[in-house]
Amino acid sequence: MTRFIARRLVETLLVLLVMSVCIYGLIGLMPGDPIDLMLTSDPKLTAADVARLKAVYGLNQPLIDRYLAWLGAAAQGDFGYSRLQSQPVLQVLAPRLGNTLLLMGISLAAALVIAIPAGVWAAARPRSFGDHLINLFAFAGMSIPVFWLGILLIILFAVVLGVLPASGTASVGVDSLIDRAKYLALPVATLTIVTVGGELRYVRSSMLEVLHQDFLRTARAKGASPARLLYGHALRNAMIPFVTILALDFGTLFSGALIVEIVFAYLGMGKTIYDAIMGNDYNLAMVGLLLATAAVLLSNLAADLAYAWLDPRISYR
């Protein structure tokens, strides 16, 4: 297992290296650069000033040379400064990454709390009225555009009812759990609703497949109770393919969080990356996208490790 984890971590680093080349190249090919933006905002800058600033920031160098210089500095732990925030990149991203992980963690936990019991219940009663109702709810959640749902919730709870804030992360000068929960309520509800449908369908389909296997008939013949059959035997085996889907959905969940953060002006990784790209903040966009990539890769590694816990027959060498 230790060798497997070490090998996967090395593969993760190689993927991040390739992604850094792609991301840096795409950002470098964007029209304009930070100095051009400074020129439009300050008409007093002369051509000599522009040339001097581009030389200071290395923007007059070929793209490959700029990338190698960035990579060398990053290998030493120096990821540069954010032009928009006037702070070191990691200092900007650390609290925003925490905000995004909090939003995704609560949304994922809420989705699992709903999806697993509902999926098991529906699989145990196929083609019943309750099964059709749960499927209707699942398909509705999968079909609703996340930005549209977010706008509807803002109109209902922030504009019409006025019980929840429409945007932001916390009230200025207020540091309390209740205040933070109010600002999280609508983003979490939006992300949970669009996530739970797919997970519910996966749980139901996995349970339906497992419930027809021979080992459950044997357990039932030995006198196992219905609850033990469902949750002690069937659910554990059904979770193995579900964990695969859950890990693959982590990237979708992250992209959904990006849209939710923009709709609700929530200061997380998604909104930070969006603002950095729109403002040509190369360093901030680069590191933010790499952190997002690393989060998806590590979630896949966590899924592989969960296989061994769910099914002892699986071994990694």
Side-chain angles (χ1 to χ4, degrees):
M1 181 63 75
T2 303
R3 181 182 297 177
F4 169 76
I5 295 175
R7 186 173 68 249
R8 286 296 300 272
L9 289 176
V10 171
E11 293 173 356
T12 298
L13 291 176
L14 292 176
V15 172
L16 288 176
L17 180 62
V18 174
M19 284 298 298
S20 70
V21 175
C22 298
I23 295 171
Y24 199 95
L26 290 173
I27 293 176
L29 293 175
M30 289 174 58
D33 57 43
I35 307 304
D36 293 332
L37 293 179
M38 293 174 61
L39 180 61
T40 58
S41 61
D42 187 0
K44 294 182 179 180
L45 285 177
T46 64
D49 294 330
V50 172
R52 179 176 55 82
L53 287 172
K54 288 192 175 186
V56 169
Y57 287 101
L59 297 176
N60 58 345
Q61 300 294 323
L63 187 61
I64 183 64
D65 293 341
R66 287 154 49 192
Y67 169 75
L68 292 176
W70 177 89
L71 184 63
Q76 301 175 16
D78 180 12
F79 293 94
Y81 272 71
S82 166
R83 187 186 65 83
L84 294 177
Q85 305 294 332
S86 300
Q87 294 179 8
V89 166
L90 293 183
Q91 189 174 331
V92 174
L93 289 177
R96 314 252 174 130
L97 178 60
N99 288 339
T100 295
L101 292 179
L102 180 64
L103 172 62
M104 293 175 58
I106 296 176
S107 301
L108 181 60
L112 292 178
V113 167
I114 297 171
I116 292 177
V120 172
W121 191 91
R125 299 163 180 81
R127 292 181 295 277
S128 65
F129 175 77
D131 181 33
H132 292 309
L133 193 63
I134 288 175
N135 279 320
L136 177 63
F137 170 77
F139 283 121
M142 295 166 62
S143 304
I144 297 176
V146 60
F147 68 91
W148 183 77
L149 177 61
I151 293 173
L152 283 184
L153 293 180
I154 289 174
I155 294 173
L156 177 60
F157 291 99
V159 178
V160 178
L161 299 178
V163 294
L164 292 172
S167 62
T169 308
S171 300
V172 178
V174 178
D175 185 15
S176 70
L177 186 60
I178 296 177
D179 180 74
R180 191 69 186 276
K182 288 182 179 179
Y183 281 89
L184 275 169
L186 292 182
V188 166
T190 303
L191 197 56
T192 299
I193 291 172
V194 299
T195 304
V196 70
E199 294 176 356
L200 197 158
R201 291 287 300 169
Y202 290 134
V203 172
R204 180 184 179 277
S205 61
S206 296
M207 284 293 295
L208 283 174
E209 183 178 355
V210 171
L211 286 173
H212 292 89
Q213 294 186 6
D214 293 336
F215 74 92
L216 279 183
R217 298 191 184 96
T218 303
R220 188 181 294 110
K222 290 183 177 181
S225 65
R228 182 171 179 80
L229 284 173
L230 283 176
Y231 295 99
H233 296 284
L235 182 60
R236 185 182 183 94
N237 287 273
M239 289 301 291
I240 296 175
F242 177 68
V243 166
T244 305
I245 299 299
L246 193 62
L248 295 176
D249 278 351
F250 189 85
T252 305
L253 184 66
F254 193 93
S255 62
L258 186 150
I259 299 174
V260 168
E261 289 173 3
I262 294 173
V263 170
F264 292 97
Y266 182 83
L267 290 180
M269 287 290 294
K271 189 174 186 306
T272 302
I273 293 173
Y274 174 80
D275 291 340
I277 292 175
M278 297 302 294
N280 276 16
D281 193 340
Y282 291 176
N283 291 332
L284 190 59
M286 181 77 178
V287 180
L289 289 169
L290 285 178
L291 282 177
T293 305
V296 175
L297 293 174
L298 291 177
S299 70
N300 291 334
L301 174 60
D304 289 338
L305 297 178
Y307 294 154
W309 177 74
L310 290 169
D311 190 350
R313 296 172 299 177
I314 298 176
S315 63
Y316 298 109
R317 296 179 181 178

